[in-house]
Amino acid sequence: TSKNAPAIAGQGGPNLFPAPKSALDAFGPEYPGGVGTRNGIRGDGVFNIDTSLAKRFVMPYSEKHSLQFRWEVFNMTNTTRFDTWDASLDVAVTGTFGKYSTTLSNARVMQFGLRYEF
């Protein structure tokens, strides 16, 4: 994956190939009766680190009552992984060859929680 690859035509950006022009030359249309390649492209996969931090405070008036404060972070490193299934691999459209259109991971999400137990 190359996050700032030069474009063959048009605007550059995230691309499956670091050099889309040379990758396009390696690919070709599959003709009837040809063998072809199955699963020739593999993606990076998913990478997420989800963490949480919690603290419980016992209430001074009763040990059966407590207050819990939670902080949870999903995709802590804010890592972007692109979806290779949605990459444009049409050899007839050279301007978008290898460009990604969606991501596998979501952006970083943080949430806070307050829980009263009795």
Side-chain angles (χ1 to χ4, degrees), residues 90-106:
D90 189 3
V91 294
V93 184
T94 59
T96 62
F97 182 74
K99 286 190 177 181
Y100 291 112
S101 59
T102 60
T103 60
L104 286 173
S105 58
N106 296 324

Side-chain angles (χ1 to χ4, degrees), residues 76-87:
M76 185 177 76
T77 58
N78 204 22
T79 304
T80 302
R81 298 291 184 168
F82 295 101
D83 190 4
T84 57
W85 287 99
D86 288 335

